[in-house]
Amino acid sequence: MKTVIIGGVAGGMSAATRLRRLDESAEIVVLERSGHVSYANCGLPYHLGGVIAERDALLLQTPAGLRERFALDVRVRHEVVGVDAAARTVTVRDLTSGEVYAETYDHLVLSPGAAPFVPDVPGVKRARTLRTVEDLDALVAALAAEPRTAVVVGGGFVGLETAENLRRRGLDVTVVELADQVLAPLDAELAALVHAELRRHGVALELGTALAAVHDDTVELTDGRRLAADLVVLAIGVRPDVALAREAGLAIGPRGGVAVDEHMRTSDPRVFAVGDAAEKTDAVGDGPVLVPLANAANRAGRQVADVIAGRSVRLAPSLGTAIVKVFGLTVAVTGWNEKRARAAGRDHRVVHTHPASHAGYYPGAAPMALKLVFDPGTGEILGAQAVGTEGVDKRVDVIATAMRAGLTAPELADLELAYAPPFGSAKDPVNMLGYVAANLMDGTTASVQWHELEAAVAAGAHLVDVRTAGEYAAGHVPGALNVPLDGLRERAGELPEGPLVVYCGVGVRAHTATRLLTGLGRRVVNLDGGYTTWKTATATATATAAAAVTAA
Amino acid sequence: MKTVIIGGVAGGMSAATRLRRLDESAEIVVLERSGHVSYANCGLPYHLGGVIAERDALLLQTPAGLRERFALDVRVRHEVVGVDAAARTVTVRDLTSGEVYAETYDHLVLSPGAAPFVPDVPGVKRARTLRTVEDLDALVAALAAEPRTAVVVGGGFVGLETAENLRRRGLDVTVVELADQVLAPLDAELAALVHAELRRHGVALELGTALAAVHDDTVELTDGRRLAADLVVLAIGVRPDVALAREAGLAIGPRGGVAVDEHMRTSDPRVFAVGDAAEKTDAVGDGPVLVPLANAANRAGRQVADVIAGRSVRLAPSLGTAIVKVFGLTVAVTGWNEKRARAAGRDHRVVHTHPASHAGYYPGAAPMALKLVFDPGTGEILGAQAVGTEGVDKRVDVIATAMRAGLTAPELADLELAYAPPFGSAKDPVNMLGYVAANLMDGTTASVQWHELEAAVAAGAHLVDVRTAGEYAAGHVPGALNVPLDGLRERAGELPEGPLVVYCGVGVRAHTATRLLTGLGRRVVNLDGGYTTWKTATATATATAAAAVTAA
């Protein structure tokens, strides 16, 4: 049996090596159009900035090594230019010699990946992308000319990693992003923390605007302004590379990727697709999604080998768990965000917390912002987001595991997570999310979100700040009355009639206040995430506007 | 309704504050025999070493603060000396005034904790323990006399934290442990890594021996030797404090703790027990267990308030997830170890891996040792252990979450964990455990454990080291033939007839070799965890013996 694999990076190479381990006699041909296979795609931005000093560290395997160890026939700079599914043949062009030849297959695995989106604007040829080792080499070469300014178009994961690494090289860097926030998987109030971190490290942000043209040493934005740009990097996102699949007559899915079933089989039973080119099934919404992530590609690649070897495996739906370092911050997400739940019309409740990474009395505890989105009817966890430093990855991984296993939001309270003062809290931040969710679901407490506050006040609610007088004096929500929690029981009579919204720093003291006042017969809701969430969320527009003024 | 709570730290205080939040009108009395409530028990060793500089940082709340915020009647230095369950009355002694009085209750919550075990040996009065703030103060006072040598008896979590912190203060520290390893929740080959770390930091280990007597400035061991010991700290373990429960006629469980049902109710329906004094149900084995951990106490304390308030809650069985920092190492465990599975006669398989904390090409990746124990019939995860630095807590928390949710070992492969080079690998160490478990369960590969190797060789297996010639030359298993993986396909004919055991550094290359040779018709098993596990495991006895000689 002969398997031809198109694409020799994450998905393709996982498929090839697993297939060899399952079948010593299989014939396996890997065709890769670039000059490299099995390279560390996710590490490319870090070589740019010198964090990964040696380019060779990114090149994990060579065709010769793969032949030696796995008896793979790996051909780099060989591009597949046609697929004849009926004849089970691919047409291959050797990019070095120019020779074109046919290669037959019993099974074909498409793992061509995705291509950076390049907008059709004047002068765009000067702009670079960062997807392959060749792209990296070109960017490194460009840095040798000592550019002083760079514009990174796109504030997604790769865009921010690229911006950070160019900043490390001393360039003045501006990130241009069409949306009014970076990192689309985050909701706005968490993205605001990332904006602040980028600005703190000298990265300018141009939000809500797009690239109109690339000129000799500037770029032009759609609002007419020009930014100095010795270097222009496009990181707008990627599009599944479905050219071959389309040409072969394979079904393309609604999200523009190759349509596959749970065995990664395309509409042709002899042809499979994995990685960024293939659509996945959304674990939360059940529909098709694109998940251009290395871990998803690796997993699917390995599993497609099992399918080809005749094993019964099924690709699990995708949560899209992802993480990115942005200077000193870690940003991690899994599942849906609030925007997406709202867009889908899905009933949802939100919990914001601001826990410490570990016990506050042990040195080095750092704050993080956590957000949980769940279905208040069933408790189903829809998604989570976290921004902070230490321990952010851990909390999102735990929630992603809980989601995969079908635990409900209240069940997060019962997780037994490892606790000692250097690592967590006796009630871990993930447990706390579960407690809050349980309180919301069983009616113990009610909350209002930062974006619902104005409406609540307009409807007649009075705002009570239960922090200390000192905290109140340092900044508070306009219109809030200050009655500190310690003393609230005695002073409850001073509160105005009617419904109340109470808040504190992060929501913990206000929860106690909410219960106290409820016990005294008042109608009370807690401002979710407290002053911290409210302040960050409402400051965004202002900060963005301020930054725009400064940059102008 | 009046609730009396005996014990004002983790479990008791969680119960008291939650009960207040659920019932503003409840009468809540907390009786604490020590001088402090709501203190950071787990932080005590770190103040000893100066890591937590301020003693006040450990005192999280005061009776006055708790009265103000939660309307709790908290009485410190009030010891309950009797319980009359029929009359629903406790007898209390005010340790300051000496006054004895009765307090009635509708519900009684026992959260007296556990007491450090003090062996009945001559001179033991000079030895100290570290359980309460008073213990800490006494130890700090003792340090003022500038002791030069310390013996810590007991190599459990508190013992090692105490040893580390005394070492920070410059003392010569010896840990004496009756077992032949520290940290009983670890299996021997992982504990060996901790032994090395302790010795690297100048802590002497006396394993397999016990305290026979405490003299003026030495301790005497059961083997007759004497160790210099200006300071002696007992950290042998704790025993549930069941004196009151016993006196009140409440049922005591088989493990010596107060017997409770899943609602934390004792044999008297008006009396509940939580925390270290109460038995829990083992999540893996279903029997009663003692879990003297702060997070378990907090959770149960909070839930008992729900039960008292008439809510339907059920304490989940306990995995005993735990973690400890030992100098530069992090050690974390959840569920059962191999020893326990073996002792219980439970069918089990073991996987050892030695992954990097994150992508190897990104700076700072650190190795860790992971061990998974699972049931090969059902795939049920029985437990996991990890020793390393960065990312150890994360992997154990993820596995603990998977266990709580009932995921099987192979299902660990499908977890979508957050991946970017600074945080993990495209195939996370937890995913890899799942892959290995799946390969073992479906017969793709077979493995042999380090302690089974001798028997395998005795039964006629030949040992093949598939690492490079350089690695082999630097150290190998005696009797192993070196045939590097690259080239093995061609040289397979050179291998001796009969069954083979192959190994590499950590088990990955040997897995490829195992599959390759199986494909060529050979009978092959992989030495689980490779040379790394074998070397650590088999070096233990030698190192222990060597250390004993040095110390003598």
Side-chain angles (χ1 to χ4, degrees), chain A residues 416-420 423, chain B residues 157 183 185-186 291-295 318-325 330-335 384-386 392-393 396-397 400:
Chain A
E416 272 184 83
L417 304 171
Y419 165 60
F423 306 101
Chain B
F157 287 24
L183 296 178
L186 289 179
V291 182
L293 295 170
N295 45 5
S318 178
L319 291 168
T321 310
I323 192 164
V324 63
K325 181 177 110 58
T330 300
V331 178
V333 296
T334 187
Q385 301 160 56
V392 160
D393 54 340
V396 167
D397 276 358

Short mmCIF file of all heavy atoms in Angstrom, two decimals, chain A residues 416-420 423, chain B residues 157 183 185-186 291-295 318-325 330-335 384-386 392-393 396-397 400:
data_model
loop_
_atom_site.label_atom_id
_atom_site.label_comp_id
_atom_site.label_asym_id
_atom_site.label_seq_id
_atom_site.Cartn_x
_atom_site.Cartn_y
_atom_site.Cartn_z
N GLU A 416 -10.09 18.67 42.25
CA GLU A 416 -9.04 18.61 43.26
C GLU A 416 -7.72 18.98 42.60
O GLU A 416 -7.05 18.11 42.03
CB GLU A 416 -8.94 17.20 43.81
CG GLU A 416 -9.85 16.96 44.98
CD GLU A 416 -9.61 15.57 45.51
OE1 GLU A 416 -8.67 15.38 46.28
OE2 GLU A 416 -10.37 14.68 45.10
N LEU A 417 -7.37 20.23 42.71
CA LEU A 417 -6.17 20.73 42.05
C LEU A 417 -5.05 20.85 43.08
O LEU A 417 -5.30 21.09 44.26
CB LEU A 417 -6.49 22.06 41.38
CG LEU A 417 -7.68 21.95 40.41
CD1 LEU A 417 -8.14 23.31 39.93
CD2 LEU A 417 -7.34 21.04 39.22
N ALA A 418 -3.85 20.68 42.59
CA ALA A 418 -2.70 20.62 43.49
C ALA A 418 -2.48 21.95 44.19
O ALA A 418 -2.29 22.97 43.53
CB ALA A 418 -1.45 20.23 42.69
N TYR A 419 -2.51 21.92 45.51
CA TYR A 419 -2.32 23.16 46.27
C TYR A 419 -1.16 23.10 47.24
O TYR A 419 -1.09 22.25 48.11
CB TYR A 419 -3.60 23.53 47.04
CG TYR A 419 -3.30 24.58 48.09
CD1 TYR A 419 -2.78 25.82 47.70
CD2 TYR A 419 -3.45 24.33 49.45
CE1 TYR A 419 -2.44 26.77 48.64
CE2 TYR A 419 -3.12 25.28 50.40
CZ TYR A 419 -2.60 26.50 50.00
OH TYR A 419 -2.26 27.44 50.92
N ALA A 420 -0.27 24.05 47.10
CA ALA A 420 0.70 24.45 48.12
C ALA A 420 0.92 25.92 47.82
O ALA A 420 0.69 26.38 46.70
CB ALA A 420 1.99 23.64 48.02
N PHE A 423 2.08 27.45 44.47
CA PHE A 423 1.47 27.01 43.21
C PHE A 423 0.00 27.38 43.03
O PHE A 423 -0.50 27.37 41.92
CB PHE A 423 1.59 25.48 43.10
CG PHE A 423 2.98 25.00 43.24
CD1 PHE A 423 3.44 24.44 44.42
CD2 PHE A 423 3.88 25.13 42.19
CE1 PHE A 423 4.76 24.01 44.56
CE2 PHE A 423 5.18 24.71 42.31
CZ PHE A 423 5.63 24.15 43.50
N PHE B 157 5.66 15.90 53.29
CA PHE B 157 5.57 17.25 52.74
C PHE B 157 6.06 18.29 53.74
O PHE B 157 6.92 19.12 53.43
CB PHE B 157 4.12 17.56 52.33
CG PHE B 157 3.68 16.84 51.09
CD1 PHE B 157 4.28 15.66 50.67
CD2 PHE B 157 2.65 17.35 50.31
CE1 PHE B 157 3.88 14.99 49.52
CE2 PHE B 157 2.23 16.69 49.16
CZ PHE B 157 2.84 15.52 48.76
N LEU B 183 8.74 11.30 50.86
CA LEU B 183 7.50 11.54 50.11
C LEU B 183 6.80 10.25 49.70
O LEU B 183 6.80 9.87 48.51
CB LEU B 183 7.78 12.42 48.88
CG LEU B 183 8.27 13.85 49.18
CD1 LEU B 183 8.55 14.61 47.89
CD2 LEU B 183 7.29 14.62 50.04
N PRO B 185 3.89 9.46 48.85
CA PRO B 185 3.01 9.40 47.67
C PRO B 185 3.74 9.13 46.36
O PRO B 185 3.11 8.78 45.38
CB PRO B 185 2.35 10.79 47.65
CG PRO B 185 2.44 11.28 49.06
CD PRO B 185 3.73 10.73 49.58
N LEU B 186 5.06 9.30 46.35
CA LEU B 186 5.84 8.99 45.14
C LEU B 186 6.28 7.54 45.16
O LEU B 186 6.57 6.98 46.22
CB LEU B 186 7.10 9.86 45.08
CG LEU B 186 6.95 11.33 44.78
CD1 LEU B 186 8.34 11.98 44.79
CD2 LEU B 186 6.25 11.57 43.44
N VAL B 291 -7.23 12.41 54.22
CA VAL B 291 -6.65 13.35 53.25
C VAL B 291 -6.40 14.66 53.98
O VAL B 291 -7.21 15.58 53.94
CB VAL B 291 -7.61 13.57 52.06
CG1 VAL B 291 -6.97 14.50 51.03
CG2 VAL B 291 -7.98 12.25 51.41
N PRO B 292 -5.30 14.75 54.71
CA PRO B 292 -5.06 15.95 55.52
C PRO B 292 -4.53 17.11 54.68
O PRO B 292 -3.39 17.53 54.82
CB PRO B 292 -4.03 15.47 56.55
CG PRO B 292 -3.28 14.38 55.85
CD PRO B 292 -4.23 13.76 54.86
N LEU B 293 -5.39 17.62 53.80
CA LEU B 293 -4.99 18.69 52.88
C LEU B 293 -5.93 19.87 53.03
O LEU B 293 -7.14 19.72 53.19
CB LEU B 293 -5.02 18.19 51.44
CG LEU B 293 -4.02 17.08 51.09
CD1 LEU B 293 -4.33 16.50 49.72
CD2 LEU B 293 -2.59 17.63 51.13
N ALA B 294 -5.36 21.07 52.90
CA ALA B 294 -6.12 22.30 53.10
C ALA B 294 -7.26 22.44 52.10
O ALA B 294 -8.35 22.89 52.45
CB ALA B 294 -5.20 23.51 53.01
N ASN B 295 -7.00 22.10 50.84
CA ASN B 295 -8.05 22.31 49.85
C ASN B 295 -9.25 21.40 50.11
O ASN B 295 -10.41 21.82 49.98
CB ASN B 295 -7.53 22.18 48.41
CG ASN B 295 -6.64 20.99 48.20
OD1 ASN B 295 -6.46 20.16 49.10
ND2 ASN B 295 -6.07 20.88 47.01
N SER B 318 -12.33 11.63 47.08
CA SER B 318 -11.08 12.38 47.07
C SER B 318 -9.97 11.69 46.30
O SER B 318 -9.71 10.50 46.48
CB SER B 318 -10.63 12.59 48.52
OG SER B 318 -9.41 13.26 48.54
N LEU B 319 -9.31 12.45 45.44
CA LEU B 319 -8.15 11.96 44.71
C LEU B 319 -6.86 12.17 45.50
O LEU B 319 -5.84 11.55 45.20
CB LEU B 319 -8.00 12.72 43.39
CG LEU B 319 -9.06 12.47 42.33
CD1 LEU B 319 -8.93 13.52 41.23
CD2 LEU B 319 -8.87 11.07 41.77
N GLY B 320 -6.89 13.10 46.44
CA GLY B 320 -5.67 13.40 47.17
C GLY B 320 -4.60 14.07 46.34
O GLY B 320 -3.41 13.84 46.52
N THR B 321 -5.02 14.93 45.43
CA THR B 321 -4.04 15.68 44.63
C THR B 321 -3.20 16.56 45.56
O THR B 321 -3.74 17.25 46.41
CB THR B 321 -4.75 16.59 43.62
OG1 THR B 321 -5.73 15.83 42.92
CG2 THR B 321 -3.77 17.20 42.63
N ALA B 322 -1.90 16.49 45.40
CA ALA B 322 -1.03 17.26 46.31
C ALA B 322 0.24 17.68 45.59
O ALA B 322 0.62 17.11 44.56
CB ALA B 322 -0.69 16.42 47.54
N ILE B 323 0.87 18.68 46.14
CA ILE B 323 2.07 19.24 45.51
C ILE B 323 3.00 19.78 46.58
O ILE B 323 2.54 20.22 47.64
CB ILE B 323 1.66 20.35 44.51
CG1 ILE B 323 2.82 20.78 43.60
CG2 ILE B 323 1.08 21.56 45.23
CD1 ILE B 323 2.36 21.57 42.39
N VAL B 324 4.27 19.74 46.31
CA VAL B 324 5.23 20.33 47.25
C VAL B 324 6.45 20.82 46.47
O VAL B 324 6.87 20.21 45.48
CB VAL B 324 5.63 19.31 48.34
CG1 VAL B 324 6.35 18.10 47.75
CG2 VAL B 324 6.51 19.96 49.41
N LYS B 325 6.96 21.95 46.90
CA LYS B 325 8.21 22.47 46.37
C LYS B 325 9.34 21.91 47.21
O LYS B 325 9.26 21.95 48.44
CB LYS B 325 8.19 23.99 46.46
CG LYS B 325 9.42 24.69 45.91
CD LYS B 325 9.26 26.21 45.98
CE LYS B 325 10.19 26.81 47.03
NZ LYS B 325 11.62 26.52 46.81
N THR B 330 9.64 20.72 41.78
CA THR B 330 8.23 20.63 42.11
C THR B 330 7.83 19.16 42.04
O THR B 330 8.19 18.47 41.08
CB THR B 330 7.39 21.44 41.11
OG1 THR B 330 7.80 22.80 41.15
CG2 THR B 330 5.91 21.35 41.44
N VAL B 331 7.12 18.71 43.04
CA VAL B 331 6.66 17.32 43.10
C VAL B 331 5.15 17.35 43.22
O VAL B 331 4.62 17.99 44.13
CB VAL B 331 7.26 16.60 44.32
CG1 VAL B 331 6.73 15.17 44.40
CG2 VAL B 331 8.78 16.63 44.30
N ALA B 332 4.45 16.69 42.33
CA ALA B 332 3.00 16.68 42.40
C ALA B 332 2.47 15.28 42.15
O ALA B 332 3.07 14.50 41.41
CB ALA B 332 2.40 17.66 41.40
N VAL B 333 1.36 14.98 42.80
CA VAL B 333 0.76 13.63 42.69
C VAL B 333 -0.76 13.75 42.67
O VAL B 333 -1.33 14.71 43.20
CB VAL B 333 1.16 12.73 43.88
CG1 VAL B 333 2.64 12.48 43.92
CG2 VAL B 333 0.68 13.34 45.20
N THR B 334 -1.40 12.76 42.08
CA THR B 334 -2.85 12.64 42.22
C THR B 334 -3.21 11.16 42.14
O THR B 334 -2.57 10.39 41.41
CB THR B 334 -3.59 13.47 41.16
OG1 THR B 334 -5.00 13.45 41.45
CG2 THR B 334 -3.37 12.95 39.74
N GLY B 335 -4.21 10.77 42.91
CA GLY B 335 -4.67 9.38 42.88
C GLY B 335 -3.66 8.41 43.46
O GLY B 335 -2.89 8.76 44.36
N ALA B 384 -1.25 9.60 38.97
CA ALA B 384 -0.12 10.17 38.26
C ALA B 384 0.83 10.84 39.24
O ALA B 384 0.41 11.27 40.33
CB ALA B 384 -0.59 11.18 37.22
N GLN B 385 2.08 10.89 38.85
CA GLN B 385 3.12 11.55 39.65
C GLN B 385 4.00 12.35 38.70
O GLN B 385 4.22 11.95 37.57
CB GLN B 385 4.00 10.50 40.34
CG GLN B 385 3.24 9.56 41.27
CD GLN B 385 4.01 8.27 41.53
OE1 GLN B 385 5.15 8.31 41.99
NE2 GLN B 385 3.42 7.14 41.22
N ALA B 386 4.50 13.46 39.19
CA ALA B 386 5.39 14.27 38.36
C ALA B 386 6.44 14.93 39.23
O ALA B 386 6.15 15.40 40.33
CB ALA B 386 4.59 15.34 37.62
N VAL B 392 5.05 21.27 36.00
CA VAL B 392 4.70 20.04 36.70
C VAL B 392 3.29 20.15 37.29
O VAL B 392 2.47 19.23 37.18
CB VAL B 392 5.74 19.75 37.81
CG1 VAL B 392 5.19 18.79 38.85
CG2 VAL B 392 7.01 19.18 37.18
N ASP B 393 3.01 21.29 37.92
CA ASP B 393 1.69 21.48 38.52
C ASP B 393 0.59 21.40 37.47
O ASP B 393 -0.45 20.78 37.68
CB ASP B 393 1.63 22.82 39.29
CG ASP B 393 2.03 24.03 38.44
OD1 ASP B 393 2.70 23.85 37.40
OD2 ASP B 393 1.65 25.16 38.80
N VAL B 396 -0.21 17.73 36.32
CA VAL B 396 -0.92 16.94 37.33
C VAL B 396 -2.35 17.47 37.52
O VAL B 396 -3.29 16.70 37.68
CB VAL B 396 -0.13 16.89 38.65
CG1 VAL B 396 -0.97 16.35 39.79
CG2 VAL B 396 1.11 16.01 38.45
N ASP B 397 -2.52 18.77 37.46
CA ASP B 397 -3.88 19.32 37.55
C ASP B 397 -4.75 18.86 36.38
O ASP B 397 -5.95 18.58 36.56
CB ASP B 397 -3.83 20.85 37.58
CG ASP B 397 -3.59 21.39 38.98
OD1 ASP B 397 -3.49 20.57 39.93
OD2 ASP B 397 -3.51 22.62 39.15
N ALA B 400 -5.60 15.28 37.09
CA ALA B 400 -6.58 15.20 38.19
C ALA B 400 -7.97 15.57 37.69
O ALA B 400 -8.97 14.98 38.12
CB ALA B 400 -6.15 16.13 39.33
#
